[in-house]
Amino acid sequence: MHLDDSIYPGDKWEYRLRRGDFVAKAHGARQLASRNVWAPIPAESVWVFAAAAAKYSLVPTPLALGAASFNIRSRTMTSQPRIALIHATPISMESIRSAFETRWPGVETVNILEDSLAVDRAKTADLTSDMIRRIEALASYARSIGSDAVLFTCSAFGQAIEQAAAKLDVPVLKPNEAMFQMAIRRGGRTAMLYTFPPSREGMEQEFRDEAARMGQAATITSYFVPGAIEAVRAGDVETHNRLIAAEAAKLKDFDAIVLAQFSMARARDAVKAATNIPVSTSPDAAVAKLRVLLGADQPA
């Protein structure tokens, strides 16, 4: 829905939300900028009247409405959400497939691969206007096929993904935002292991921005794992995992370790065996957040 305005009548902020001619109000503790937002409505708060059901193509049912299955789109009440996974490299696909299979079996996922993005991103230090346009076009296409949420799996396009998200009416997640939120909640110092150099600077800024938004005094320090991404691209997963675990074993005095790339999630068990510091991966955290955003789970 679009957030038209935030006003402060005296005790809390009131948000004016709109989608077409459907208007709603919500409340919160802080002012929000006008933009597109995702506004999940708990099932127990929903009343469907005959006129509204006809107007918004809702299907009335005598059964309790589950939050995961109720929305204003034309999907049936019992079907699973459709989640579009947008990849810039094929090595990310197995990790997110495994995370959904473990943490949300049965949900409908669709894969959109545009692997020239990773090639072109490696050639430039900054995101170009052309890359931003391509990211926005991919997100728009994902929405056009009826996706209820969009998840990008390449960590080097954060700013472009944010711009794409502002133009859509469904959740659009950057690859690492959920993982960063988990690490920031732990507080203190976070170590980030990464294998794709163009992603480092943008991800560090995303972490700092998220920490400021959450009001947490968390810091991040990055460590490059040379040779790891080349190994997994060549099909040598064992070497990939060993290199990442060896780097993790050197880390001391950190409160959390995050594995930056989706493709690194396959090294999670090896890293956990090499350190006593809590370890988070992007795919697992992203699936957990999507379950909350789409109503399958309640917020923690």
Side-chain angles (χ1 to χ4, degrees):
M1 301 180 72
H2 189 268
L3 174 61
D4 286 336
D5 195 13
S6 297
I7 63 172
Y8 190 73
D11 58 342
K12 56 191 172 184
W13 285 96
E14 181 177 289
Y15 312 130
R16 305 288 178 87
L17 302 168
R18 172 180 51 78
R19 182 172 178 177
D21 59 356
F22 179 79
V23 179
K25 293 181 182 179
H27 300 91
R30 61 190 179 91
Q31 185 177 16
L32 298 176
S34 179
R35 57 189 173 91
N36 286 334
V37 297
W38 180 250
I41 304 175
E44 61 271 17
S45 301
V46 175
W47 289 72
V48 179
F49 297 93
K55 185 173 184 179
Y56 294 107
S57 300
L58 300 176
V59 181
T61 173
L63 303 176
L65 293 174
S69 59
F70 181 87
N71 57 52
I72 297 179
R73 292 180 291 279
S74 60
R75 196 172 298 280
T76 65
M77 302 298 283
T78 57
S79 66
Q80 290 274 18
R82 169 178 282 187
I83 300 173
L85 309 174
I86 301 180
H87 314 280
T89 173
I91 62 174
S92 299
M93 299 174 73
E94 172 58 27
S95 296
I96 189 61
R97 184 203 63 78
S98 177
F100 271 108
E101 189 174 83
T102 301
R103 299 177 177 274
W104 204 350
V107 72
E108 182 185 358
T109 59
V110 293
N111 292 284
I112 303 169
L113 172 64
E114 212 289 67
D115 55 0
S116 71
L117 280 168
V119 175
D120 294 343
R121 185 67 180 90
K123 296 176 181 177
T124 178
D126 300 310
L127 282 171
T128 65
S129 58
D130 176 67
M131 289 180 191
I132 294 173
R133 178 189 59 76
R134 288 154 67 185
I135 291 292
E136 291 178 347
L138 287 165
S140 179
Y141 172 74
R143 182 68 183 98
S144 75
I145 61 173
S147 300
D148 299 287
V150 180
L151 171 63
F152 283 84
T153 67
C154 184
S155 53
F157 300 93
Q159 178 187 355
I161 297 169
E162 289 176 0
Q163 292 188 33
K167 297 181 177 181
L168 295 189
D169 60 347
V170 296
V172 179
L173 267 61
K174 292 178 290 186
N176 303 289
E177 64 180 83
M179 178 179 68
F180 283 166
Q181 289 165 358
M182 291 176 62
I184 291 166
R185 289 189 189 102
R186 293 191 177 104
R189 303 179 65 211
T190 293
M192 181 175 74
L193 299 179
Y194 69 100
T195 61
F196 186 57
S199 68
R200 179 190 61 81
E201 185 176 350
M203 291 181 66
E204 289 176 345
Q205 187 60 51
E206 286 177 29
F207 183 96
R208 290 190 288 267
D209 291 345
E210 191 64 32
R213 188 189 67 79
M214 296 172 66
Q216 298 288 331
T219 62
I220 189 167
T221 306
S222 300
Y223 297 88
F224 179 52
V225 186
I229 199 167
E230 290 79 9
V232 76
R233 282 173 175 168
D236 188 354
V237 174
E238 182 179 351
T239 296
H240 170 269
N241 295 354
R242 174 175 54 78
L243 291 171
I244 295 172
E247 194 66 35
K250 302 175 187 177
L251 300 174
K252 306 295 181 185
D253 301 322
F254 285 98
D255 300 287
I257 295 173
V258 295
L259 305 184
Q261 274 66 56
F262 264 55
S263 57
M264 297 174 71
R266 48 177 54 87
R268 176 190 55 205
D269 292 343
V271 173
K272 286 185 174 181
T275 180
N276 292 322
I277 302 172
V279 178
S280 296
T281 68
S282 298
D284 289 338
V287 173
K289 181 168 183 174
L290 283 167
R291 286 184 62 91
V292 172
L293 287 174
L294 296 181
D297 286 338
Q298 295 298 314

